[in-house]
Amino acid sequence: MMSYQRFIALAGSVFAFAVAVLMAPAVWAAEQAFVIGFAQDNMANAWRATQVRHAEEALKPYPGVRFIHTDAMGNTAQQILDIENLVAKGIDLLITSPRDGAAMTPIITRVYEKGIPVVLLTRQINSDAYTIFIGGDDYDIGQRAARHLVENHKDAKHILILAGVPTATTAINRTNGFLDEIKNHSGFHIAGIKPANYLTKNAIIAVEQALQEGLKFDAIYAESDSMAVGARLALKKAGIDPASIPTVGIDYISEARDAIRKGVQSATFIYPTVAREGIEYAMKILAGEKVPKEILVQSQIITRDNVEQIAPIF
């Protein structure tokens, strides 16, 4: 015959199990409640592809949250269409890095005004119709890149700028910061500005064109390390030692670390993907927490002095 104590213990276990079973659907429903859409610009860009991967990794503690990402393949119209399609699918929050801040302001504004939170990563729009912006101070990075060249390569007076996506606020601010700073240093000149869309293959073409046009340059400011890689390949093809052309990049990817170690790149600036931070704040927003309008991440310069102490972003 079962003892009273054992009966009570068994009854308690059954009750606890029943409560767990009844609560399980509610917990599962809460986990399944949110869909996050990431309208990415161009997955052919290694940095942009890594940004999406970092977002996916940051969502691992939230297995019930559905994550959808799109690839506009470097086309602004497609990125706008991708956002419209994500909204049609019922996303609860939009993450994006607008390829064209001006052209994409209307669609992002409409999303925001529909009550869908918007997280902008690294790139901005022409209004405050977003929930939070997370990124670096690109204008400041441009200024610091100019100062590095001026202070460390005094004989490199003619600088070729390899610009990123011309319509992206990152490229606009990186260019303006550099140009405004270089004006303060007599004797230094801009040999030319060649858009290369943050892509290695485009940078190869841009540098080849610069050489064919007879542009005289003895330094390169590449607004991404991927473009710095392309510049070196083009210089080698033309029989020019990349080490003879001081180059400053941005991002700090593995190729930049290797180039700095070998002395074929002077410096770069850390530019994290901020995707992990984006997911962190996205989950806070979805939980109903208040978040700041803007978060600027710091960017450290990497040279031969500290390249061995700091790991690249990927």
Side-chain angles (χ1 to χ4, degrees), residues 21 75 79 84 102-103 136 139 147 178 189 220 274 299:
V21 169
N75 185 293
Q79 195 174 22
E84 292 175 342
Y139 184 87
R147 286 196 293 268
F178 191 92
H189 309 280
I220 295 175
V274 300
S299 183

Side-chain angles (χ1 to χ4, degrees), residues 17 25 32 38 40 65-66 86 104 107 163 214 216-218:
F17 176 77
Q32 291 286 356
F38 190 156
Q40 184 58 289
V65 176
R66 187 181 173 205
L86 286 171
M104 294 182 66
I107 179 62
K216 303 298 182 182
F217 60 92
D218 44 29

Side-chain angles (χ1 to χ4, degrees), residues 82-93:
D82 288 342
I83 291 175
E84 292 175 342
N85 290 336
L86 286 171
V87 171
K89 289 180 179 179
I91 59 170
D92 298 288
L93 181 142

Side-chain angles (χ1 to χ4, degrees), residues 4-36:
Y4 177 76
Q5 290 81 3
R6 187 179 177 190
F7 174 79
I8 293 298
L10 181 60
S13 297
V14 172
F15 178 75
F17 176 77
V19 170
V21 169
L22 289 171
M23 290 186 65
V27 173
W28 180 250
E31 290 178 348
Q32 291 286 356
F34 300 122
V35 179
I36 295 176

Side-chain angles (χ1 to χ4, degrees), residues 105-176:
T105 293
I107 179 62
I108 291 173
T109 299
R110 287 199 297 272
V111 172
Y112 180 72
E113 290 179 348
K114 282 174 67 73
I116 299 174
V118 176
V119 177
L120 297 180
L121 299 184
T122 70
R123 296 173 177 173
Q124 297 170 308
I125 58 175
N126 292 354
S127 79
D128 61 356
Y130 58 88
T131 309
I132 185 173
F133 165 78
I134 307 172
D137 188 339
D138 293 287
Y139 184 87
D140 177 69
I141 292 172
Q143 288 183 304
R144 292 163 64 196
R147 286 196 293 268
H148 174 82
L149 282 174
V150 168
E151 294 169 2
N152 294 277
H153 304 283
K154 299 183 185 301
D155 294 329
K157 303 287 189 180
H158 303 86
I159 305 163
L160 173 66
I161 297 178
L162 295 177
V165 175
T167 54
T169 56
T170 47
I172 293 169
N173 292 332
R174 290 173 188 182
T175 300
N176 289 341

